[in-house]
Amino acid sequence: MIIQDVINHLEDFAPLAYAEDFDNVGLLVGDKNVNLTGVLVTLDTLEAVVDEAIENNCNLIVSFHPIIFKGLKKLTGKTYVERTVLKAIKNDIAIYAIHTALDNHIHGVNDIICEQLKLENRKILIPQAQTIKKLTTYVPKAEANNLRQAIFNIGAGNIGNYSNCSFNVEGIGTFNGNENSNPVVGKKGETAFEEETKITITFAKHLEAKVLKTLFETHSYEEVAYEITTLENTNQNIGMGMVGTLQKPMTETDFLVYLKTKMNVQAIRHSKFLNKPVQKIAVLGGSGSFAITAAKAVKADVFITADLKYHDFFSAENSILLADIGHYESEQYTKNGLVAHLTKKISNFAIVLSKTNTNPVKYF
């Protein structure tokens, strides 16, 4: 097995197509074609984490956060980022970051928080726009079933709890090939009339390359007529944050105690109590002030996130309890989820959970 094989498993699970535009995800350091010796999974990649990878004979670090976020102009070892990258390079250790690709996954960062809190009826808080595309193509009637099935086999045509979804209309297609053409049916220079089926299938945007490859390999025509359009339909399985419900309502005080325990938090910064029971909970791991409005819109009683600034707390406006549990604390169990996923996929290589606490924030 090579490093690229692990990357394939990760990107089948959390495609990079759904990472935010500002992010820096994927293979950041190393050669994807090197033979794998082991995988170390961490929240952050620091020098100590590279040392841990060396000790465990792991030549791939799968990190939630990217160690290289802004462009590097020098590699002199002056900063912790440069020192970490240099140490990884010197020891032939690759670094892969998954970050917002996993943030936007329905079973990613926020689902893990919901699982820790035992929340039920979970839904994406802010669905990501323009994640659904539509293929429209025209195929000889006799080939329609074969083409449909080939496209279904790569994951297209899935809508919610349904698979193999398509719409089909039969009609007559016309075409006239010039002297350089090589038509499968009809003759060059003559207008042909062919019974065709118009097939329409929706698919997740990360499948576009596979959809087109399958279309061209399966379709018999020399020149395949097709259209790809991006839909505005909401995809409820991809996006930032999540909202769910407690099995039973709690008082605000009891819930914050529960939150501290379940998320292993030393301190919680929160807005003022509203003196009402809480049951509907919105969560967004990491810096989530941008989602306060969305949490209020779904009428959540509490919004759990991190990195709230002083003025963000005013945004509660007596309608929601804001709870800042810390950036590291909100995402700390993400690496456990990644280890569990990779362990299921790769049984013959060590998948090591990093023991290094990378939280830079200390409490007095």
Side-chain angles (χ1 to χ4, degrees), residues 55-70:
E55 292 170 8
N56 286 277
N57 193 32
C58 295
N59 66 342
L60 173 62
I61 295 173
V62 174
S63 179
F64 178 66
H65 291 128
I67 181 61
I68 303 173
F69 196 73
K70 298 178 181 178

Side-chain angles (χ1 to χ4, degrees), residues 27-259:
L27 186 64
L28 306 184
V29 175
D31 182 352
K32 64 183 181 181
N33 296 310
V34 169
N35 288 329
L36 181 73
T37 61
V39 183
L40 179 73
V41 181
T42 181
L43 190 67
D44 305 280
T45 303
L46 304 175
E47 287 182 87
V49 174
V50 177
D51 289 334
E52 190 177 7
I54 296 168
E55 292 170 8
N56 286 277
N57 193 32
C58 295
N59 66 342
L60 173 62
I61 295 173
V62 174
S63 179
F64 178 66
H65 291 128
I67 181 61
I68 303 173
F69 196 73
K70 298 178 181 178
L72 281 176
K73 294 184 178 181
K74 298 178 181 179
L75 274 175
T76 63
K78 185 176 181 180
T79 68
Y80 80 94
V81 173
E82 293 176 17
R83 290 191 296 273
T84 301
V85 172
L86 281 171
K87 180 170 282 192
I89 292 171
K90 287 178 180 178
N91 289 278
D92 296 321
I93 294 174
I95 302 173
Y96 181 94
I98 199 166
H99 205 205
T100 57
L102 193 59
D103 275 322
N104 280 311
H105 195 282
I106 193 167
H107 296 305
V109 177
N110 299 295
D111 189 55
I112 292 170
I113 297 174
C114 289
E115 186 64 28
Q116 286 292 122
L117 298 176
K118 305 301 179 187
L119 300 185
E120 302 174 345
N121 309 310
R122 303 170 197 173
K123 294 181 180 179
I124 296 291
L125 178 62
I126 307 175
Q128 193 178 89
Q130 298 184 325
T131 61
I132 303 174
K133 295 201 171 190
K134 180 174 69 175
L135 167 71
T136 301
T137 191
Y138 308 83
V139 62
K141 184 177 176 181
E143 300 175 17
N145 187 59
N146 185 48
L147 179 62
R148 270 194 306 268
Q149 194 57 55
I151 295 175
F152 290 154
N153 288 344
I154 61 164
N158 293 337
I159 303 174
N161 295 321
Y162 296 85
S163 61
N164 293 10
C165 301
S166 69
F167 188 75
N168 305 269
V169 179
E170 294 182 2
I172 303 296
T174 66
F175 46 87
N176 187 322
N178 63 25
E179 60 183 14
N180 297 317
S181 66
N182 185 27
V184 175
V185 295
K187 298 179 180 179
K188 65 176 67 177
E190 297 181 4
T191 299
F193 294 80
E194 177 72 15
E195 287 190 358
E196 294 181 334
T197 302
K198 175 184 177 181
I199 302 175
T200 302
I201 300 175
T202 59
F203 60 91
K205 72 174 184 179
H206 72 278
L207 293 174
E208 182 169 351
K210 287 184 178 180
V211 166
L212 291 177
K213 183 175 184 290
T214 302
L215 173 64
F216 298 145
E217 289 178 348
T218 309
H219 205 296
S220 65
Y221 282 178
E222 179 185 29
E223 190 71 45
V224 180
Y226 72 96
E227 303 167 19
I228 297 285
T229 53
T230 300
L231 305 182
E232 295 297 328
N233 301 49
T234 299
N235 188 334
Q236 295 295 337
N237 292 325
I238 298 170
M240 285 282 184
M242 191 161 279
V243 60
T245 56
L246 295 165
Q247 190 174 48
K248 295 180 180 179
M250 292 185 182
T251 66
E252 292 165 311
T253 301
D254 287 346
F255 177 73
L256 291 187
V257 172
Y258 175 77
L259 177 60

Side-chain angles (χ1 to χ4, degrees), residues 257-270:
V257 172
Y258 175 77
L259 177 60
K260 283 186 70 174
T261 302
K262 291 295 183 179
M263 293 300 295
N264 190 27
V265 176
Q266 294 188 49
I268 298 175
R269 299 163 63 234
H270 64 86

